[in-house]
Coordinates of all heavy atoms in Angstrom, one line a residue:
M28 N 14.3 2.1 -14.5 CA 13.7 1.5 -15.6 C 12.6 2.3 -16.2 O 11.9 3.0 -15.4 CB 13.2 0.1 -15.2 CG 14.2 -0.9 -14.9 SD 13.5 -2.6 -14.7 CE 12.2 -2.3 -13.5
A29 N 12.4 2.2 -17.4 CA 11.3 2.9 -18.1 C 10.7 1.9 -19.1 O 11.3 0.9 -19.4 CB 11.9 4.1 -18.8
R30 N 9.5 2.3 -19.5 CA 8.9 1.5 -20.5 C 9.8 1.2 -21.7 O 9.7 0.1 -22.3 CB 7.6 2.2 -21.0 CG 6.8 1.3 -21.9 CD 5.5 2.0 -22.4 NE 4.7 2.2 -21.2 CZ 3.4 2.7 -21.3 NH1 2.9 3.0 -22.4 NH2 2.7 2.8 -20.2
S31 N 10.6 2.2 -22.1 CA 11.5 2.0 -23.3 C 12.8 1.2 -22.9 O 13.6 1.0 -23.9 CB 11.8 3.4 -23.8 OG 12.5 4.1 -22.8
S32 N 13.0 0.8 -21.7 CA 14.2 0.1 -21.3 C 14.2 -1.3 -22.1 O 13.2 -2.0 -22.3 CB 14.3 -0.2 -19.8 OG 14.3 0.9 -19.1
P33 N 15.4 -1.7 -22.6 CA 15.5 -2.9 -23.3 C 15.3 -4.1 -22.4 O 15.4 -4.0 -21.2 CB 17.0 -2.9 -23.8 CG 17.7 -1.9 -23.0 CD 16.7 -0.9 -22.5
P34 N 14.9 -5.3 -22.9 CA 14.6 -6.4 -22.1 C 15.8 -6.9 -21.2 O 15.5 -7.4 -20.1 CB 14.3 -7.5 -23.2 CG 13.9 -6.8 -24.4 CD 14.6 -5.5 -24.3
N35 N 17.0 -6.7 -21.7 CA 18.1 -7.1 -20.8 C 18.2 -6.3 -19.5 O 18.7 -6.8 -18.5 CB 19.4 -7.0 -21.5 CG 19.8 -5.6 -22.0 OD1 19.0 -4.8 -22.3 ND2 21.1 -5.4 -22.0
V36 N 17.6 -5.1 -19.5 CA 17.6 -4.2 -18.3 C 16.6 -4.9 -17.3 O 16.9 -5.0 -16.1 CB 17.3 -2.8 -18.6 CG1 17.0 -2.0 -17.3 CG2 18.4 -2.1 -19.4
F37 N 15.5 -5.2 -17.8 CA 14.4 -5.9 -16.9 C 15.0 -7.2 -16.3 O 14.8 -7.5 -15.2 CB 13.1 -6.1 -17.7 CG 12.4 -4.9 -18.0 CD1 12.5 -4.3 -19.2 CD2 11.5 -4.4 -17.0 CE1 11.8 -3.2 -19.5 CE2 10.8 -3.2 -17.3 CZ 10.9 -2.6 -18.5
K38 N 15.7 -7.9 -17.2 CA 16.3 -9.2 -16.8 C 17.3 -9.0 -15.7 O 17.4 -9.7 -14.7 CB 16.8 -9.9 -18.0 CG 17.4 -11.3 -17.6 CD 17.9 -12.1 -18.8 CE 18.3 -13.4 -18.5 NZ 19.5 -13.9 -19.1
A39 N 18.2 -8.0 -15.9 CA 19.2 -7.7 -14.9 C 18.6 -7.3 -13.5 O 19.1 -7.8 -12.5 CB 20.1 -6.6 -15.4
Y40 N 17.6 -6.5 -13.6 CA 16.9 -6.1 -12.3 C 16.3 -7.3 -11.6 O 16.4 -7.5 -10.4 CB 15.8 -5.1 -12.6 CG 16.3 -3.7 -12.5 CD1 16.8 -3.0 -13.6 CD2 16.2 -3.0 -11.3 CE1 17.2 -1.7 -13.5 CE2 16.6 -1.6 -11.2 CZ 17.1 -1.0 -12.3 OH 17.5 0.3 -12.2
A41 N 15.7 -8.2 -12.4 CA 15.0 -9.4 -11.8 C 16.1 -10.3 -11.2 O 15.9 -10.9 -10.1 CB 14.2 -10.1 -12.9
E42 N 17.2 -10.5 -11.9 CA 18.3 -11.4 -11.4 C 18.9 -10.8 -10.1 O 19.2 -11.5 -9.2 CB 19.3 -11.6 -12.5 CG 18.8 -12.5 -13.6 CD 19.8 -12.6 -14.8 OE1 20.9 -11.9 -14.7 OE2 19.5 -13.4 -15.7
Q43 N 19.1 -9.5 -10.1 CA 19.7 -8.9 -8.9 C 18.7 -9.0 -7.8 O 19.2 -9.2 -6.6 CB 20.1 -7.4 -9.2 CG 20.8 -6.8 -8.1 CD 22.2 -7.5 -7.8 OE1 22.9 -7.7 -8.8 NE2 22.5 -7.8 -6.6
F44 N 17.4 -8.7 -8.0 CA 16.4 -8.9 -7.0 C 16.5 -10.3 -6.4 O 16.4 -10.5 -5.2 CB 15.0 -8.6 -7.4 CG 14.0 -8.9 -6.5 CD1 13.7 -8.0 -5.4 CD2 13.3 -10.0 -6.5 CE1 12.8 -8.3 -4.5 CE2 12.3 -10.4 -5.6 CZ 12.0 -9.5 -4.5
Q45 N 16.5 -11.3 -7.2 CA 16.5 -12.7 -6.7 C 17.7 -12.9 -5.8 O 17.6 -13.5 -4.8 CB 16.5 -13.7 -8.0 CG 16.4 -15.1 -7.5 CD 16.2 -16.0 -8.7 OE1 16.2 -15.7 -9.8 NE2 16.1 -17.3 -8.3
K46 N 18.9 -12.4 -6.3 CA 20.1 -12.6 -5.4 C 20.0 -11.9 -4.1 O 20.3 -12.4 -3.1 CB 21.3 -12.1 -6.2 CG 21.7 -13.0 -7.4 CD 22.9 -12.3 -8.1 CE 23.2 -13.0 -9.4 NZ 24.3 -12.2 -10.1
D47 N 19.5 -10.6 -4.2 CA 19.4 -9.9 -3.0 C 18.4 -10.4 -2.0 O 18.6 -10.5 -0.8 CB 19.1 -8.4 -3.3 CG 20.2 -7.7 -4.0 OD1 21.4 -8.1 -4.0 OD2 19.9 -6.6 -4.6
F48 N 17.2 -10.8 -2.5 CA 16.2 -11.3 -1.7 C 16.5 -12.7 -1.1 O 16.3 -13.0 0.1 CB 14.9 -11.4 -2.4 CG 13.7 -11.5 -1.5 CD1 13.3 -10.5 -0.6 CD2 12.9 -12.7 -1.6 CE1 12.3 -10.7 0.2 CE2 11.8 -12.8 -0.8 CZ 11.5 -11.9 0.2
S49 N 17.2 -13.5 -1.8 CA 17.7 -14.8 -1.3 C 18.7 -14.6 -0.2 O 18.6 -15.2 0.9 CB 18.3 -15.6 -2.4 OG 17.3 -16.0 -3.3
N50 N 19.5 -13.6 -0.4 CA 20.6 -13.3 0.7 C 19.8 -12.7 1.9 O 20.2 -13.1 3.0 CB 21.5 -12.3 0.1 CG 22.7 -12.1 1.1 OD1 23.2 -13.0 1.7 ND2 23.1 -10.8 1.2
F51 N 18.9 -11.9 1.7 CA 18.1 -11.3 2.8 C 17.4 -12.4 3.6 O 17.5 -12.4 4.9 CB 17.0 -10.3 2.3 CG 16.0 -9.9 3.3 CD1 16.3 -8.9 4.2 CD2 14.8 -10.4 3.3 CE1 15.4 -8.5 5.1 CE2 13.8 -10.0 4.3 CZ 14.1 -9.1 5.2
L52 N 16.7 -13.3 3.0 CA 16.1 -14.4 3.7 C 17.0 -15.3 4.4 O 16.8 -15.7 5.5 CB 15.2 -15.2 2.7 CG 14.0 -14.5 2.1 CD1 13.3 -15.3 1.1 CD2 13.0 -14.0 3.2
S53 N 18.2 -15.6 3.8 CA 19.2 -16.4 4.4 C 19.7 -15.8 5.7 O 19.8 -16.4 6.7 CB 20.3 -16.7 3.4 OG 21.3 -17.4 4.0
L54 N 20.0 -14.5 5.6 CA 20.5 -13.8 6.8 C 19.5 -13.7 7.9 O 19.7 -13.9 9.1 CB 21.0 -12.5 6.4 CG 22.3 -12.5 5.5 CD1 22.6 -11.1 5.0 CD2 23.5 -13.1 6.3
R55 N 18.2 -13.4 7.5 CA 17.1 -13.2 8.5 C 16.8 -14.6 9.2 O 16.5 -14.6 10.4 CB 15.9 -12.7 7.9 CG 15.9 -11.3 7.4 CD 16.3 -10.2 8.3 NE 17.7 -10.0 8.7 CZ 18.6 -9.5 8.0 NH1 18.4 -9.0 6.8 NH2 19.9 -9.4 8.4
S56 N 17.0 -15.7 8.4 CA 16.7 -17.0 9.0 C 17.6 -17.3 10.1 O 17.2 -18.1 11.1 CB 16.8 -18.1 7.9 OG 18.1 -18.3 7.5
K57 N 18.8 -16.7 10.1 CA 19.8 -17.0 11.2 C 19.4 -16.1 12.4 O 19.9 -16.5 13.5 CB 21.2 -16.6 10.7 CG 21.6 -17.5 9.6 CD 23.0 -17.1 9.0 CE 23.3 -18.1 7.9 NZ 24.3 -17.5 7.0
E58 N 18.6 -15.1 12.3 CA 18.3 -14.2 13.5 C 17.0 -14.7 14.2 O 16.7 -14.3 15.3 CB 18.1 -12.8 13.0 CG 19.4 -12.2 12.3 CD 19.1 -10.9 11.7 OE1 18.0 -10.5 11.5 OE2 20.1 -10.2 11.4
I59 N 16.1 -15.4 13.4 CA 14.9 -15.8 14.0 C 15.0 -17.0 15.0 O 15.7 -17.9 14.7 CB 13.8 -16.1 12.9 CG1 13.6 -14.8 12.1 CG2 12.5 -16.6 13.4 CD1 12.7 -15.1 10.9
I60 N 14.3 -16.9 16.1 CA 14.3 -18.0 17.0 C 13.6 -19.2 16.5 O 12.8 -19.0 15.6 CB 13.7 -17.6 18.4 CG1 12.3 -17.2 18.2 CG2 14.5 -16.4 19.0 CD1 11.5 -17.0 19.6
P61 N 13.9 -20.4 17.0 CA 13.2 -21.6 16.4 C 11.6 -21.4 16.6 O 11.2 -20.8 17.6 CB 13.7 -22.7 17.4 CG 15.0 -22.2 17.8 CD 14.9 -20.7 17.9
Q62 N 10.9 -21.8 15.6 CA 9.5 -21.6 15.4 C 9.0 -20.2 15.4 O 7.9 -19.9 15.6 CB 8.8 -22.3 16.7 CG 9.1 -23.8 16.7 CD 8.7 -24.6 15.5 OE1 7.7 -24.4 14.9 NE2 9.6 -25.5 15.0
G63 N 10.0 -19.2 15.2 CA 9.7 -17.8 15.1 C 9.0 -17.5 13.8 O 8.9 -18.4 12.8
R64 N 8.5 -16.3 13.6 CA 7.8 -15.9 12.4 C 8.3 -14.6 11.9 O 8.9 -13.8 12.7 CB 6.3 -15.7 12.7 CG 5.6 -16.9 13.2 CD 5.4 -18.0 12.2 NE 4.6 -19.1 12.6 CZ 5.0 -20.2 13.2 NH1 6.3 -20.4 13.5 NH2 4.2 -21.2 13.6
M65 N 8.2 -14.4 10.7 CA 8.6 -13.1 10.0 C 7.5 -12.6 9.1 O 6.9 -13.4 8.5 CB 9.9 -13.3 9.2 CG 10.3 -12.1 8.5 SD 11.9 -12.1 7.6 CE 12.0 -13.7 7.0
V66 N 7.2 -11.3 9.2 CA 6.1 -10.8 8.4 C 6.8 -9.9 7.3 O 7.7 -9.1 7.6 CB 5.2 -9.8 9.2 CG1 4.2 -9.1 8.3 CG2 4.5 -10.7 10.3
L67 N 6.5 -10.2 6.1 CA 7.0 -9.4 5.0 C 5.9 -8.7 4.3 O 4.8 -9.3 4.1 CB 7.7 -10.4 4.0 CG 8.9 -11.2 4.5 CD1 9.4 -12.2 3.4 CD2 10.0 -10.2 4.9
S68 N 6.1 -7.5 3.9 CA 5.0 -6.8 3.1 C 5.7 -6.3 1.8 O 6.8 -5.9 1.9 CB 4.4 -5.7 3.9 OG 5.3 -4.7 4.2
F69 N 5.0 -6.4 0.8 CA 5.5 -6.0 -0.5 C 4.6 -5.0 -1.2 O 3.4 -5.1 -1.0 CB 5.6 -7.2 -1.5 CG 6.5 -8.3 -1.0 CD1 6.1 -9.4 -0.2 CD2 7.9 -8.2 -1.4 CE1 7.0 -10.3 0.3 CE2 8.8 -9.2 -0.9 CZ 8.3 -10.3 -0.1
M70 N 5.2 -4.1 -1.8 CA 4.4 -3.1 -2.6 C 4.2 -3.7 -4.0 O 5.1 -4.3 -4.5 CB 5.1 -1.8 -2.7 CG 5.2 -1.1 -1.3 SD 5.9 0.5 -1.3 CE 6.0 1.1 -2.9
A71 N 3.0 -3.4 -4.6 CA 2.7 -3.9 -5.9 C 2.0 -2.8 -6.7 O 1.6 -1.9 -6.1 CB 1.9 -5.2 -5.8
R72 N 1.9 -3.0 -7.9 CA 1.2 -2.0 -8.7 C 0.4 -2.8 -9.8 O 0.8 -3.8 -10.3 CB 2.2 -1.0 -9.4 CG 3.2 -1.7 -10.3 CD 4.0 -0.6 -10.9 NE 5.0 -1.3 -11.8 CZ 6.3 -1.4 -11.4 NH1 6.7 -0.9 -10.3 NH2 7.1 -2.0 -12.2
N73 N -0.7 -2.2 -10.2 CA -1.5 -2.7 -11.2 C -1.0 -2.2 -12.6 O -1.2 -2.8 -13.6 CB -3.0 -2.2 -11.1 CG -3.6 -2.9 -9.9 OD1 -3.3 -4.0 -9.5 ND2 -4.5 -2.2 -9.3
N74 N -0.3 -1.1 -12.6 CA 0.2 -0.5 -13.9 C 1.5 -1.2 -14.3 O 2.5 -1.2 -13.5 CB 0.4 1.0 -13.6 CG 0.8 1.8 -14.9 OD1 1.2 1.1 -15.9 ND2 0.6 3.0 -14.9
P75 N 1.5 -1.8 -15.4 CA 2.8 -2.5 -15.9 C 3.9 -1.6 -16.2 O 5.0 -2.0 -16.5 CB 2.3 -3.3 -17.1 CG 1.1 -2.5 -17.7 CD 0.5 -1.9 -16.5
N76 N 3.7 -0.2 -16.3 CA 4.7 0.7 -16.6 C 5.6 0.9 -15.4 O 5.1 1.6 -14.4 CB 4.1 2.0 -17.1 CG 5.1 3.1 -17.5 OD1 6.3 2.8 -17.4 ND2 4.7 4.2 -18.0
P77 N 6.8 0.5 -15.4 CA 7.7 0.6 -14.2 C 8.1 2.0 -13.9 O 8.6 2.3 -12.8 CB 8.9 -0.3 -14.6 CG 9.0 -0.3 -16.0 CD 7.5 -0.2 -16.5
S78 N 7.9 2.9 -14.8 CA 8.2 4.4 -14.5 C 7.1 5.2 -13.9 O 7.2 6.3 -13.6 CB 8.7 5.1 -15.9 OG 7.6 5.1 -16.8
N79 N 6.0 4.5 -13.7 CA 4.8 5.2 -13.1 C 5.1 5.6 -11.7 O 5.8 4.9 -10.9 CB 3.6 4.2 -13.1 CG 2.3 4.9 -12.8 OD1 2.3 5.7 -11.9 ND2 1.3 4.7 -13.6
E80 N 4.6 6.7 -11.3 CA 4.9 7.3 -9.9 C 4.0 6.6 -8.8 O 4.1 7.0 -7.7 CB 4.8 8.8 -10.0 CG 5.8 9.5 -10.8 CD 7.2 9.2 -10.3 OE1 7.5 9.2 -9.1 OE2 8.1 9.0 -11.2
D81 N 3.0 5.9 -9.2 CA 2.1 5.3 -8.2 C 2.8 4.1 -7.5 O 2.9 3.1 -8.1 CB 0.8 4.8 -8.9 CG -0.2 4.3 -7.9 OD1 0.0 4.4 -6.7 OD2 -1.1 3.6 -8.3
Y82 N 3.1 4.3 -6.2 CA 3.9 3.2 -5.5 C 3.0 2.3 -4.7 O 3.5 1.5 -4.0 CB 5.0 3.9 -4.7 CG 6.0 4.5 -5.5 CD1 6.1 5.9 -5.5 CD2 6.9 3.8 -6.3 CE1 7.1 6.5 -6.3 CE2 7.8 4.4 -7.0 CZ 8.0 5.8 -7.0 OH 8.9 6.4 -7.8
G83 N 1.7 2.5 -4.7 CA 0.8 1.6 -4.0 C 0.7 1.7 -2.5 O 0.5 0.7 -1.8
W84 N 1.0 2.8 -2.0 CA 0.9 3.0 -0.5 C -0.4 2.7 0.1 O -0.5 2.2 1.2 CB 1.3 4.5 -0.1 CG 2.7 4.7 -0.4 CD1 3.3 5.6 -1.3 CD2 3.9 4.1 0.2 NE1 4.6 5.6 -1.4 CE2 5.0 4.7 -0.4 CE3 4.1 3.2 1.2 CZ2 6.3 4.3 0.0 CZ3 5.3 2.8 1.6 CH2 6.5 3.4 1.0
E85 N -1.5 2.9 -0.7 CA -2.8 2.5 -0.2 C -2.9 1.1 0.0 O -3.5 0.6 1.0 CB -3.9 3.0 -1.1 CG -4.0 4.6 -1.3 CD -3.0 5.1 -2.3 OE1 -2.4 4.4 -3.0 OE2 -2.8 6.3 -2.2
L86 N -2.4 0.3 -0.9 CA -2.4 -1.2 -0.8 C -1.7 -1.6 0.4 O -2.1 -2.5 1.2 CB -1.8 -1.8 -2.1 CG -1.7 -3.3 -2.1 CD1 -3.1 -3.9 -2.0 CD2 -1.0 -3.8 -3.3
I87 N -0.5 -1.1 0.7 CA 0.3 -1.4 1.9 C -0.6 -1.1 3.2 O -0.6 -1.9 4.1 CB 1.6 -0.7 1.9 CG1 2.5 -1.1 0.8 CG2 2.3 -0.8 3.3 CD1 3.0 -2.5 0.9
A88 N -1.1 0.1 3.2 CA -1.9 0.5 4.4 C -3.0 -0.5 4.6 O -3.3 -0.9 5.8 CB -2.4 2.0 4.2
K89 N -3.8 -0.8 3.6 CA -4.9 -1.7 3.7 C -4.4 -3.1 4.2 O -5.1 -3.7 5.1 CB -5.7 -1.8 2.4 CG -6.9 -2.7 2.5 CD -7.7 -2.9 1.2 CE -8.9 -3.7 1.3 NZ -8.9 -4.8 2.2
S90 N -3.3 -3.6 3.6 CA -2.8 -4.9 4.0 C -2.4 -4.9 5.5 O -2.7 -5.9 6.2 CB -1.6 -5.3 3.1 OG -2.0 -5.3 1.8
L91 N -1.8 -3.9 5.9 CA -1.3 -3.8 7.3 C -2.5 -3.7 8.3 O -2.6 -4.3 9.3 CB -0.4 -2.6 7.5 CG 1.0 -2.8 6.9 CD1 1.8 -1.6 7.1 CD2 1.7 -4.1 7.5
L92 N -3.6 -2.9 7.9 CA -4.8 -2.8 8.7 C -5.5 -4.2 8.7 O -6.0 -4.6 9.8 CB -5.7 -1.8 8.1 CG -5.2 -0.3 8.4 CD1 -6.1 0.7 7.6 CD2 -5.2 0.0 9.8
D93 N -5.5 -4.9 7.6 CA -6.1 -6.2 7.6 C -5.4 -7.2 8.6 O -6.0 -7.9 9.3 CB -6.2 -6.8 6.2 CG -7.2 -6.1 5.3 OD1 -8.0 -5.3 5.9 OD2 -7.1 -6.3 4.1
L94 N -4.1 -7.1 8.5 CA -3.2 -8.0 9.3 C -3.5 -7.7 10.8 O -3.6 -8.6 11.6 CB -1.8 -7.8 9.0 CG -0.8 -8.6 9.8 CD1 -1.0 -10.1 9.5 CD2 0.6 -8.2 9.4
V95 N -3.5 -6.4 11.2 CA -3.7 -6.0 12.6 C -5.1 -6.5 13.0 O -5.2 -7.0 14.1 CB -3.6 -4.5 12.8 CG1 -4.1 -4.0 14.1 CG2 -2.1 -4.1 12.6
S96 N -6.1 -6.3 12.2 CA -7.5 -6.8 12.6 C -7.5 -8.3 12.8 O -8.2 -8.8 13.7 CB -8.5 -6.3 11.6 OG -8.4 -7.0 10.4
E97 N -6.8 -9.0 12.0 CA -6.7 -10.5 12.2 C -6.1 -10.9 13.5 O -6.5 -11.7 14.2 CB -6.0 -11.1 11.0 CG -6.8 -11.2 9.8 CD -6.0 -11.8 8.6 OE1 -5.1 -12.7 8.9 OE2 -6.3 -11.6 7.5
V98 N -5.0 -10.1 13.8 CA -4.2 -10.4 15.1 C -5.1 -10.1 16.2 O -5.2 -10.9 17.2 CB -2.9 -9.6 15.1 CG1 -2.3 -9.7 16.5 CG2 -2.0 -10.1 14.1
I99 N -5.9 -9.0 16.2 CA -6.7 -8.6 17.3 C -7.9 -9.6 17.4 O -8.2 -10.1 18.5 CB -7.4 -7.2 17.1 CG1 -6.2 -6.2 17.2 CG2 -8.5 -6.9 18.0 CD1 -6.6 -4.8 16.8
F100 N -8.4 -10.1 16.3 CA -9.5 -11.0 16.3 C -9.0 -12.3 16.9 O -9.7 -12.9 17.7 CB -10.0 -11.3 14.8 CG -11.1 -12.3 14.8 CD1 -12.4 -12.1 15.2 CD2 -10.8 -13.6 14.3 CE1 -13.4 -13.1 15.1 CE2 -11.7 -14.6 14.2 CZ -13.0 -14.3 14.6
F101 N -7.9 -12.9 16.5 CA -7.4 -14.1 17.0 C -6.9 -14.0 18.5 O -6.8 -15.0 19.1 CB -6.3 -14.7 16.1 CG -6.9 -15.2 14.8 CD1 -6.5 -14.6 13.6 CD2 -7.7 -16.3 14.8 CE1 -7.0 -15.1 12.4 CE2 -8.3 -16.7 13.6 CZ -7.9 -16.1 12.4
S102 N -6.7 -12.8 18.9 CA -6.2 -12.6 20.3 C -7.3 -12.6 21.3 O -7.1 -12.8 22.5 CB -5.4 -11.3 20.4 OG -4.3 -11.4 19.7
L103 N -8.6 -12.4 20.8 CA -9.7 -12.3 21.7 C -10.2 -13.6 22.3 O -10.0 -14.6 21.8 CB -10.9 -11.6 21.0 CG -10.7 -10.2 20.6 CD1 -11.8 -9.7 19.8 CD2 -10.4 -9.3 21.8

């Protein structure tokens, strides 16, 4: 996708993501034990331009470090 992509391209990507993610969650739900948990992390960007090369790795790293610190805190 690029900034110049027509709206139907954005719509097609969004619809495909919804189908794929719903399928992913459905399949993972069959693998998790009762009362089990699943951790999902998502990459996000502040830049609305989908062709931008900034993939937000710093955000992922900070989120995972925050999660680990919470687990350590609650384990003490």
Side-chain angles (χ1 to χ4, degrees):
M28 289 190 306
R30 184 181 296 188
S31 60
S32 297
N35 63 329
V36 171
F37 288 98
K38 184 177 183 219
Y40 269 90
E42 289 173 355
Q43 188 62 51
F44 172 79
Q45 185 174 3
K46 289 177 191 174
D47 292 345
F48 195 64
S49 294
N50 189 40
F51 169 80
L52 291 175
S53 174
L54 293 171
R55 296 299 77 79
S56 71
K57 296 173 183 162
E58 298 173 347
I59 295 177
I60 61 172
Q62 302 301 313
R64 304 289 189 265
M65 176 173 36
V66 174
L67 301 174
S68 63
F69 296 91
M70 291 181 20
R72 62 176 175 256
N73 291 330
N74 187 339
N76 182 356
S78 63
N79 190 317
E80 295 297 322
D81 180 16
Y82 294 110
W84 292 112
E85 295 83 14
L86 179 62
I87 296 290
K89 183 180 180 328
S90 297
L91 290 174
L92 288 172
D93 289 347
L94 179 64
V95 168
S96 69
E97 286 181 25
V98 170
I99 291 171
F100 176 75
F101 288 117
S102 298
L103 296 177

